[in-house]
Amino acid sequence: PTREGLSHNPQRFAAKGIKPKTPYPGLFVGGSDLTIGDSFSASMVGSWIVSNAIIGYSFVDHLFLEKNVTSDVSQFMKVPRNRNDEDIAVPFQVYSSTEDNLNT
């Protein structure tokens, strides 16, 4: 297997300019190249960093104002009030230990 992206060496982590925004308008760099590590979770964190950069959130927004992509999305995710068991494809049944003893 071949590996794509920046090499993981000390010079790379000390380099300036490894950030999601590039000098080219509208071009952003994402993935594990923004984080320490070469894994799926590092790619997810790198994508989260890029999505915050695209929206325009800075370190100050995240740290002090608690504004980020996750908090923005969570505002729109609400638990449904009128949850009806008929909406579930496979209904969930709870069996008590007394019912189990009667059926055996």
Side-chain angles (χ1 to χ4, degrees):
T2 60
R3 190 180 134 7
E4 303 285 329
L6 300 173
S7 62
H8 290 268
N9 55 29
Q11 292 83 14
R12 179 232 178 213
F13 295 118
K16 293 182 180 179
I18 297 180
K19 52 188 174 184
K21 197 168 186 178
T22 64
Y24 304 101
L27 180 64
F28 293 86
V29 177
S32 62
D33 291 337
L34 294 175
T35 60
I36 298 174
D38 184 24
S39 64
F40 177 75
S41 59
S43 296
M44 294 297 291
V45 171
S47 302
W48 183 82
I49 293 170
V50 169
S51 61
N52 281 303
I54 290 171
I55 291 176
Y57 290 151
S58 67
F59 177 72
V60 173
D61 291 328
H62 177 66
L63 189 63
F64 298 112
L65 303 177
E66 297 179 3
K67 288 172 48 178
N68 57 45
V69 173
T70 309
S71 64
D72 289 348
V73 171
S74 66
Q75 292 177 5
F76 298 104
M77 297 178 68
K78 296 179 181 175
V79 178
R81 287 185 192 161
N82 300 327
R83 191 182 141 253
N84 190 354
D85 287 336
E86 294 176 5
D87 293 339
I88 300 174
V90 179
F92 180 74
Q93 297 177 348
V94 178
Y95 294 102
S96 66
S97 59
T98 57
E99 290 178 358
D100 291 337
N101 293 337
L102 293 175
N103 293 332
T104 57

